[in-house]
Amino acid sequence: MVSLASNESRGRYFSESDNSLIEELQNENTHLLTDLEPVFHPVTTTWASALTLVIAVILEAVVISLSFVCDAITCHVSPYPAGLFAAGASWIVVLLLDRYIRYQHEGSRRKGYLDFYRQTKRIKAAPLIVLSFGNAVLVMVSAFFSSECESPKVESLCDQRLNVLRGIISLEVLIIVITSGIYLKKLIEFNQKRPYPDVHQEELTTSFLNTSLVDVGIREENELGIIIEKQADQIRYLRQHNGFLGQKILALTSRLNSQPPS
């Protein structure tokens, strides 16, 4: 009787120990699977793009109202140099915002959103490109007026330089408003859909395989370049993802090995 009781108590002891070990392993697996599940990573550039749009509108308002303001009050500077200064200051601010937008999109690309990165690759850089090109034109126009306005024969032409400034900046602002609006629409839709990285989306993966493996030999050179770029992006992300999985496996293995044997 004593022996049977002792065996039953030992059976209960090992059963409770095994159950606790199983529960602990299940908790570890739950945490590991939670970490490995795909997570949506938003692109937080909405405020930067909206601020770029606001700066463009403010620049347009300043350039248009310069002559009226300076007619109503005493200005320490003429409207034309003030407009050039406003254009240069706007370019500096947009440059900083563009650096931030580029940084966020590069991070999104590293996290696996390759298709969205390609969709917005050019349009997100449009405001800075437009302002840079416009400022280059303004530099040439200013050089022309500064050299020609010394002659009294073209004095009437020099009186139109503020209108030329307004025309150039108005064209810049129009392009920036259109491109920023398109970019904001794409960005808001992307954040609202909350998609997983491309490698976890079956439709994008299937489309990628189809475009990569079908009729490769008869595609044009530019299409082959797009396919190679897609393959490089996929390989880059998969390498990073495999490295992440390897770190998780090593961490779990080390924690299991550190547990005392039962």
Side-chain angles (χ1 to χ4, degrees), residues 164-205:
V164 174
L165 174 66
R166 288 173 179 167
I168 295 174
I169 291 182
S170 297
L171 182 60
E172 291 179 9
V173 172
L174 177 62
I175 299 174
I176 291 174
V177 168
I178 294 174
T179 55
S180 296
I182 295 173
Y183 171 73
L184 278 173
K185 181 176 180 295
K186 290 180 176 290
L187 181 63
I188 293 172
E189 289 178 351
F190 173 79
N191 288 330
Q192 287 179 346
K193 289 180 181 178
R194 302 178 63 85
Y196 290 148
D198 295 352
V199 73
H200 298 288
Q201 300 182 46
E202 183 178 356
E203 294 180 359
L204 287 176
T205 304

Side-chain angles (χ1 to χ4, degrees), residues 89-151:
S90 301
W91 180 86
I92 293 174
V93 177
V94 172
L95 174 65
L96 298 176
L97 293 173
D98 179 78
R99 295 298 97 184
Y100 172 79
I101 292 174
R102 285 177 180 269
Y103 175 78
Q104 291 295 325
H105 276 272
E106 287 293 337
S108 176
R109 180 185 185 182
R110 289 192 296 269
K111 292 173 183 176
Y113 295 101
L114 313 175
D115 187 65
F116 181 68
Y117 176 85
R118 285 190 293 269
Q119 289 179 13
T120 58
K121 184 177 181 179
R122 292 178 177 83
I123 196 169
K124 70 177 183 291
L128 181 63
I129 294 174
V130 170
L131 283 178
S132 299
F133 181 78
N135 285 351
V137 174
L138 287 177
V139 169
M140 292 186 290
V141 170
S142 299
F144 170 78
F145 280 124
S146 63
S147 62
E148 296 295 331
C149 286
E150 297 177 356
S151 174

Side-chain angles (χ1 to χ4, degrees), residues 1-2 16-17 30 36 39 41 46 59 64 74 79 106 130 157-158 174 176 180 188 201 210-211 216 227 236 257:
M1 295 296 292
V2 174
E16 293 174 358
S17 176
T30 301
L36 296 182
V39 180
H41 300 280
T46 305
L59 175 62
I64 291 177
T74 302
E106 287 293 337
V130 170
L157 177 62
C158 295
L174 177 62
I176 291 174
S180 296
I188 293 172
Q201 300 182 46
N210 290 337
T211 57
V216 174
I227 294 174
R236 185 184 299 109
N257 292 335

Side-chain angles (χ1 to χ4, degrees), residues 238-256:
L238 290 174
R239 287 182 62 183
Q240 294 175 352
H241 190 66
N242 289 339
F244 172 75
L245 294 178
Q247 292 177 357
K248 288 294 182 180
I249 292 173
L250 289 176
L252 180 60
T253 303
S254 62
R255 294 186 66 176
L256 289 176

